[in-house]
Amino acid sequence: MKDKFSKILLSLGTLVIGICLLLWADKVTTTAAMLFGICLLLYGLVNGLTVYKKEPNNTGKLICQILIGIVGIVLIIKPNIISEIISFVIGIYIMFSSLVSLKSVLDNKSSKKYKMGLILSVSGIVIGFLCILGKLLIPNLILRFLGAALIIYSLIAIINIVIFPNKSK
């Protein structure tokens, strides 16, 4: 029961992210990229200074911290880089979780709702594939499409969680 609840919460979180991307795509990704960039920059600076003071001969760690800081600066200066890769990453996530759902559906072939689960899982795989290719197909609308895809995927995932029992014990 706890596993089902956590899966539903995760799907609801994905639903909220999808709604935000659908309504405010540019603002969400720009804000997230800048906040992530600031965190990386601060992390790189603080850890870089710590490594420099405590382990001055450890150039490997110092270079790593400098690179983390540089990535943070890039995200602050060019926050739209996140929107260029987010579709691909989320597409992979959707495809992977839909494949896991498909395996669960295929393991329950005797269920009354087998066909519905099969259709929903395959739909999730198609949505994930479209998210991966989306950047190439519709570059101007990809984030809004991604938001809509996340909304549909979240609803599919919630329905799958509710109608199929968890037999992975």
Side-chain angles (χ1 to χ4, degrees):
M1 186 67 172
K2 185 178 180 183
D3 186 43
K4 216 176 203 184
F5 181 71
S6 63
K7 287 181 181 179
I8 289 174
L9 279 180
L10 183 62
S11 294
L12 287 174
T14 307
L15 179 66
V16 169
I17 291 170
I19 291 169
C20 289
L21 280 173
L22 185 64
L23 298 177
W24 310 289
D26 296 338
K27 293 177 183 174
V28 169
T29 55
T30 301
T31 303
M34 291 180 94
L35 289 173
F36 189 58
I38 290 168
C39 289
L40 286 178
L41 178 61
L42 292 174
Y43 180 82
L45 283 173
V46 169
N47 284 338
L49 290 172
T50 303
V51 168
Y52 182 71
K53 287 180 180 178
K54 291 184 178 181
E55 305 173 46
N57 295 331
N58 197 340
T59 56
K61 279 187 179 180
L62 188 59
I63 289 173
C64 183
Q65 298 308 315
I66 290 170
L67 289 175
I68 290 173
I70 290 171
V71 170
I73 291 170
V74 169
L75 287 175
I76 293 168
I77 294 172
K78 190 174 171 21
N80 60 348
I81 199 167
I82 294 291
S83 65
E84 295 170 7
I85 61 169
I86 195 169
S87 174
F88 184 76
V89 172
I90 290 179
I92 288 174
Y93 166 75
I94 289 174
M95 281 191 71
F96 177 74
S97 62
S98 294
L99 285 169
V100 170
S101 175
L102 179 63
K103 183 194 176 308
S104 174
V105 169
L106 292 175
D107 288 344
N108 292 310
K109 284 184 180 179
S110 61
S111 174
K112 296 176 191 175
K113 299 180 181 178
Y114 169 75
K115 287 183 183 180
M116 179 185 230
L118 187 65
I119 290 169
L120 292 173
S121 296
V122 171
S123 298
I125 293 168
V126 170
I127 288 170
F129 184 71
L130 289 174
C131 286
I132 290 170
L133 293 180
K135 193 65 177 166
L136 302 173
L137 299 175
I138 46 176
N140 294 334
L141 302 175
I142 189 61
L143 291 175
R144 289 195 178 3
F145 166 77
L146 186 59
L150 281 174
I151 292 168
I152 294 167
Y153 164 74
S154 299
L155 295 175
I156 288 170
I158 291 170
I159 291 169
N160 263 337
I161 292 167
V162 171
I163 65 172
F164 281 103
N166 186 7
K167 291 190 174 185
S168 61
K169 291 181 180 177

